């Protein structure tokens, strides 16, 4: 608990890390209002706060109003941490959020929103407010599928995650395996029901294929993540092709249109599929230590961190060069004024980040920053996509 007091204001700010006990247990239930008892309580509170190194204001500057607010604040500090139910709910909510792997949630949400937006821009005359519920239910189904895939992976990777990602909730002991199973089963059933009732058999089959691929990626006896080529093909298929094609198909079907490829959608599907391939091979860069310990074969363990980082950056540069060329030679399909400068800037920032990684001698922190930057580039592409 950290308390900061401003002499110019009768307010006290509280930030909870360690909770000092301002009053003995025998008197915590009530505070008498006489002046002498208030001063006595203040003296004890001040002494306890001094022991935490938190109270720096001289008592000589305190008037009676400030003393009363100090006593009240100490009472609130006692009460703030006294509800175990609220604490457990807050801890469980935090564990569930980490269980969902927020960076993948952002990618899925941005991708689906970008593709729906593009389809609506292309067919603005067909927009109906009645489709809003369907759009949100589709987004929730995609997030459920994402949660199932990353969740099932954590359930079967507990030992590895204790080495590579000890902050994940199961590895950290913040979420039980039983609770994790309940969550992934809920995600799978909820997602399938939503898609089945709202988007027809073809989209449901695409969704089911995604769940199956996510399952065999992590679950024995398949556990395809052990094999580098199979692993990155699964990730590229699910995050690249299935997500982009499936969302665009479902959106056009909801608008009453037959599916047909447009140049921008063909571009983003190709771009993101190759990008997902890069994510698949670079995601293991921070995990080399644990993968070697548990004999998980990845490109990073076989070829080394430096070579894989350069390979990932090189493939992304191919993506950016292709984007610039597509805008240059197909001005009728793409907006040159946006495509060319934006992808030039993103390519240059990638080169700079790769240089930073090289200068940092591939430390664990530098590798984590590089991988995080790759995801930021991924988000950026979806953000600009509706406007290209």
């Amino acid at each position: 608990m950290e308390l900061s007091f401003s002499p110019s204001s009768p307010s006290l700010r509280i930030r909870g890390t360690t909770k000092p006990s301002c009053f003995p247990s025998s008197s915590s239930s009530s505070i008498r209002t006489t002046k002498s008892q208030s001063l006595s309580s203040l003296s004890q509170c001040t002494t306890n706060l001094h022991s935490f190194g938190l109270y720096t204001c001289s008592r000589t500057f305190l008037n009676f109003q400030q003393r009363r607010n100090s006593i009240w604040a100490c009472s609130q500090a006692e009460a703030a941490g006294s509800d175990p139910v609220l604490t457990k709910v807050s801890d469980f909510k935090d564990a569930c959020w980490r269980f969902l792997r927020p960076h993948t949630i952002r990618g899925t949400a941005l991708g689906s929103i970008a593709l729906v937006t593009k389809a609506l821009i292309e067919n603005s005359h067909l927009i109906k407010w009645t489709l809003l519920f369907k759009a949100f239910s589709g987004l929730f189904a995609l997030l459920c599928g994402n949660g199932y895939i990353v969740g099932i992976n954590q359930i079967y990777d507990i030992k590895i995650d204790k080495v590579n990602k000890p902050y994940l909730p199961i590895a950290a002991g913040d979420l039980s395996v039983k609770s994790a199973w309940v969550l992934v089963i809920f995600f799978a059933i909820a997602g399938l029901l939503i898609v089945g009732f709202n988007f027809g058999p073809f989209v449901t089959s695409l969704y089911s294929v995604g769940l199956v691929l996510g399952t065999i990626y992590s679950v024995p006896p398949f556990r395809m993540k052990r094999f580098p080529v199979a692993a990155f093909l699964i990730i590229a298929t699910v995050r690249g092709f299935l997500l982009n094609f499936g969302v665009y198909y479902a959106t056009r079907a909801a608008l009453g249109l037959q599916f047909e490829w447009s140049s921008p959608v063909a571009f983003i599907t190709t771009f993101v599929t190759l990008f997902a391939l890069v994510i698949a091979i670079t995601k293991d860069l921070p995990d080399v230590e644990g993968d070697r310990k548990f004999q998980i074969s990845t490109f990073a363990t076989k070829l080394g961190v430096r070579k894989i980082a350069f390979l990932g950056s090189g493939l992304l540069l191919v993506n950016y060069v292709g984007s610039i060329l597509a805008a240059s030679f197909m001005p009728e399909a793409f907006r040159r004024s946006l495509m060319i400068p934006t992808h030039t800037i993103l390519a240059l920032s990638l080169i700079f980040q790769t240089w930073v990684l090289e200068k940092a001698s591939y430390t664990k922190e530098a590798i984590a920053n590089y991988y995080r930057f790759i995801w930021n580039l991924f988000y950026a592409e979806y953000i600009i996509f509706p406007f290209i």
Side-chain angles (χ1 to χ4, degrees):
M1 177 66 67
E2 178 181 303
L3 287 83
S4 59
F5 183 81
S6 174
S8 61
S9 170
S11 64
L12 195 69
R13 293 186 303 171
I14 303 173
R15 287 199 300 266
T17 55
T18 305
K19 178 173 67 63
S21 176
C22 295
F23 301 102
S25 58
S26 61
S27 61
S28 60
S29 60
S30 64
I31 302 173
R32 300 185 183 277
T33 58
T34 64
K35 183 174 181 179
S36 60
Q37 288 170 323
S38 296
L39 290 172
S40 174
S41 298
L42 174 65
S43 176
Q44 184 175 358
C45 179
T46 305
T47 301
N48 286 340
L49 289 172
H50 269 302
S51 68
F52 279 79
L54 301 172
Y55 189 89
T56 59
C57 183
S58 172
R59 289 177 57 191
T60 59
F61 293 101
L62 298 178
N63 56 32
F64 178 76
Q65 178 66 32
Q66 291 168 334
R67 288 198 298 269
R68 187 179 65 182
N69 286 336
S70 298
I71 296 170
W72 175 85
C74 290
S75 301
Q76 292 298 105
E78 285 288 332
S82 62
D83 193 338
V85 175
L86 291 178
T87 301
K88 287 182 179 180
V89 170
S90 178
D91 290 345
F92 182 72
K93 182 176 68 174
D94 174 71
C96 288
W97 179 241
R98 285 183 286 131
F99 183 68
L100 290 173
R101 304 307 305 278
H103 66 284
T104 65
I105 289 290
R106 285 190 287 270
T108 300
L110 277 173
S112 59
I113 291 171
L115 284 154
V116 170
T117 301
K118 187 64 177 176
L120 295 179
I121 290 174
E122 293 173 343
N123 305 278
S124 58
H125 60 288
L126 297 175
I127 297 176
K128 299 177 182 178
W129 287 109
T130 55
L131 296 175
L132 192 61
F133 174 77
K134 197 168 189 177
F136 278 113
S137 65
L139 176 59
F140 182 73
L142 287 171
L143 297 182
C144 284
N146 191 104
Y148 170 81
I149 291 173
V150 299
I152 202 78
N153 182 64
Q154 290 174 67
I155 290 173
Y156 285 96
D157 271 7
I158 298 175
K159 292 182 179 179
I160 300 175
D161 287 341
K162 286 182 178 180
V163 178
N164 291 336
K165 303 180 182 76
Y167 53 85
L168 291 179
I170 304 179
D174 298 329
L175 186 70
S176 68
V177 175
K178 182 179 178 181
S179 297
W181 271 113
V182 170
L183 288 172
V184 297
I185 291 171
F186 167 77
F187 290 146
I189 294 175
L192 282 169
L193 288 176
I194 290 170
V195 174
F197 280 113
N198 290 281
F199 297 99
F202 181 68
V203 174
T204 303
S205 65
L206 292 178
Y207 190 87
S208 300
V209 169
L211 295 185
V212 170
L213 290 175
T215 301
I216 65 174
Y217 176 84
S218 300
V219 177
F222 309 101
R223 202 155 168 78
M224 303 305 290
K225 66 178 297 178
R226 296 175 298 166
F227 311 106
V229 175
F232 74 65
L233 285 177
I234 287 174
I235 293 173
T237 301
V238 173
R239 187 160 289 281
F241 176 75
L242 287 179
L243 175 65
N244 293 276
F245 170 72
V247 170
Y248 190 69
Y249 181 96
T251 305
R252 286 186 65 88
L255 294 173
L257 300 171
Q258 293 291 323
F259 177 80
E260 62 180 35
W261 288 103
S262 67
S263 296
V265 174
F267 159 77
I268 196 65
T269 302
T270 304
F271 186 100
V272 172
T273 299
L274 182 56
F275 208 121
L277 184 66
V278 173
I279 289 175
I281 64 175
T282 58
K283 75 178 184 62
D284 298 313
L285 293 178
D287 301 339
V288 170
E289 180 184 353
D291 289 341
R292 283 175 177 162
K293 181 176 180 180
F294 291 94
Q295 299 180 339
I296 300 294
S297 178
T298 67
F299 283 116
T301 58
K302 285 186 172 183
L303 303 178
V305 171
R306 186 175 186 271
K307 289 182 179 178
I308 293 303
F310 272 89
L311 175 62
S313 296
L315 290 173
L316 288 184
L317 286 176
V318 170
N319 245 356
Y320 290 128
V321 171
S323 303
I324 294 169
L325 291 176
S328 300
F329 289 101
M330 300 176 66
E332 72 283 356
F334 300 105
R335 189 174 296 171
R336 285 181 173 182
S337 58
L338 177 65
M339 283 273 284
I340 294 176
T342 301
H343 287 97
T344 300
I345 292 171
L346 293 176
L348 291 174
S349 66
L350 173 63
I351 294 171
F352 175 75
Q353 190 66 32
T354 307
W355 176 81
V356 169
L357 179 62
E358 175 79 12
K359 287 297 181 182
S361 301
Y362 299 90
T363 62
K364 194 166 186 177
E365 181 181 359
I367 292 170
N369 289 336
Y370 172 79
Y371 182 61
R372 191 178 302 114
F373 181 78
I374 295 296
W375 273 97
N376 288 336
L377 292 177
F378 186 78
Y379 304 148
E381 194 64 32
Y382 274 129
I383 289 172
I384 66 173
F385 169 67
F387 312 104
I388 65 173

